[in-house]
Amino acid sequence: MTIDDIHIVNYCHRSCTPLLNIMRLPKDEAFALAHEMAEQNKETTAFYRFADFENYYPERLKTDMLLYNRFTQLGGKPLQEHPLSFVLQGSDFLDSWFDCGIVTKIPLNRIHSEHISFTYGDSMTSLKQHGELTMLTKDMLFKAIADFGGTVDEFLANVAERYNYIEVQVWDDECLRV
């Protein structure tokens, strides 16, 4: 596999609509939807965060604000306040977490560098557990892959050992609709 073969993958439970972000709703609508989804999907791991939305919402808000600010500091030009989340090259763990629901796969080379960022592992979990997260731009990611000295697959396997996956934040919805 080469850099041109890399995809970003979004997982969505089949009871949801892909490529949406609950954090973009007005707060009262977000809480109402989270409550409804948690009630309808009590046995689904992906909705546990909605069952605890009172705690999830402020943490997600804090994380998204940090991601936004960090991305702009790195030269990114986010078009949304809250990104759409993907994972680099996919994740069996996340596919299972979303009950093997809807999978959206998009070539990485289709998204302009100014509208995409990456973190090692889940951004919210990293921030919560370590008080910090590592963000990369597309150019920084490609440099990290090149500096690794192995193949793209070996790089991703190495990252997965420590972080499970590379989270991808897409800051431009239009590039996903092409």
Side-chain angles (χ1 to χ4, degrees), residues 24 81 98 107 121 135 141 153 157 160 164 168:
R24 293 180 181 178
E81 198 173 357
F98 285 97
M135 177 178 273
L141 173 68
D153 288 328
N164 293 320
V168 181

Side-chain angles (χ1 to χ4, degrees), residues 148-160:
F148 177 73
T151 67
V152 173
D153 288 328
E154 291 168 339
F155 172 80
L156 293 172
N158 185 57
V159 169

Side-chain angles (χ1 to χ4, degrees), residues 8-142:
I8 60 172
V9 181
N10 174 273
Y11 298 97
C12 179
H13 191 269
R14 63 187 80 71
S15 70
C16 296
T17 304
L19 305 180
L20 295 177
N21 184 333
I22 196 167
M23 298 302 292
R24 293 180 181 178
L25 294 173
K27 186 176 181 178
D28 58 333
E29 288 179 39
F31 271 81
L33 180 59
H35 177 73
E36 177 185 328
M37 297 306 290
E39 280 296 310
Q40 291 175 2
N41 301 282
K42 289 181 180 180
E43 301 303 316
T44 304
T45 309
F47 293 105
Y48 293 170
R49 60 197 163 142
F50 289 174
D52 187 29
F53 207 64
E54 291 76 23
N55 290 310
Y56 175 84
Y57 185 86
E59 289 297 320
R60 182 78 261 167
L61 201 59
K62 176 182 166 185
T63 302
D64 283 1
M65 190 179 316
L66 176 73
L67 289 168
Y68 183 95
N69 290 334
R70 180 83 46 89
F71 187 47
T72 58
Q73 290 169 356
L74 292 172
K77 295 187 170 125
L79 300 180
Q80 275 82 32
E81 198 173 357
H82 302 280
L84 296 177
S85 296
F86 289 76
V87 63
L88 200 64
Q89 280 303 105
S91 164
D92 291 339
F93 167 76
L94 289 177
D95 191 29
S96 174
W97 204 67
F98 285 97
D99 282 352
C100 300
I102 303 164
V103 177
T104 305
K105 189 174 173 183
I106 297 169
L108 177 59
N109 61 12
R110 195 163 102 188
I111 302 168
H112 194 279
S113 297
E114 294 178 336
H115 301 133
I116 191 167
S117 57
F118 307 85
T119 57
Y120 290 122
D122 179 88
S123 58
M124 197 162 115
T125 301
S126 294
L127 189 58
K128 201 173 192 176
Q129 289 179 349
H130 309 291
E132 186 56 42
L133 53 84
T134 301
M135 177 178 273
L136 305 167
T137 63
K138 195 174 185 180
D139 292 339
M140 292 165 73
L141 173 68
F142 289 168

